[in-house]
Amino acid sequence: MGGPGGKNAERDLGRLLSGLAPALHPGRFVFTTVPGTTAPPGLSPVVTVVEDEGLTLVVQQEDADAARLTYDFVAGWITLRIHSALDAVGLTAAVAQALAEAGLSCNVVAGFHHDHLFVPHERAAEAVALLEHLADRFGQ
């Protein structure tokens, strides 16, 4: 049961929060959608989600512009570097609450090893600072 590394994933909420270690990726990322279930050639999405309406892609803004894809949300991409268990309880809620209290929207994507947050690009550095403060509160 579980894949490689799953047994090393953290489940304790206090340790998850104290070890968030948020890292902001360089660049601007956008959510877009295309018909079908395959990304167009030449695109390297960082996230894909198959939905009934089509394929959602999160790609770098310049790639979306070059492919003439439409979007309306430009995001900064933050990775929480703590290796969180997929069945851990409360991490997403705590992170979302901290950001919501500052009026920041947040789209969360869970990877096998880490959680990834997409926040408004113009406030991404602020979001990282808020998450670092959250980690410091739980690390004491």
Side-chain angles (χ1 to χ4, degrees):
M1 197 165 172
K7 61 185 165 196
N8 296 324
E10 185 59 62
R11 287 177 175 77
D12 179 83
L13 183 58
R15 285 195 294 266
L16 283 167
L17 292 171
S18 68
L20 286 177
L24 180 61
H25 296 261
R28 300 163 62 93
F29 297 85
V30 298
F31 286 70
T32 189
T33 187
V34 296
T37 59
T38 305
L43 283 181
S44 297
V46 297
V47 175
T48 62
V49 179
V50 177
E51 299 181 285
D52 290 342
E53 298 85 356
L55 181 66
T56 295
L57 307 168
V58 180
V59 297
Q60 289 193 336
Q61 183 180 14
E62 56 268 19
D63 293 344
D65 290 342
R68 298 180 186 253
L69 297 172
T70 60
Y71 54 86
D72 58 9
F73 177 65
V74 180
W77 172 19
I78 301 167
T79 295
L80 304 180
R81 292 179 291 185
I82 184 82
H83 183 179
S84 55
L86 288 167
D87 60 354
V89 176
L91 177 61
T92 302
V95 166
Q97 180 178 354
L99 296 176
E101 287 173 357
L104 273 158
S105 66
C106 177
N107 294 277
V108 180
V109 177
F112 184 85
H113 293 101
H114 305 285
D115 290 302
H116 305 272
L117 315 176
F118 293 89
V119 300
H121 183 266
E122 67 276 5
R123 296 186 67 193
E126 176 187 356
V128 169
L130 288 165
L131 295 169
E132 288 172 341
H133 179 71
L134 178 63
D136 288 346
R137 284 192 344 227
F138 280 87
Q140 297 177 5

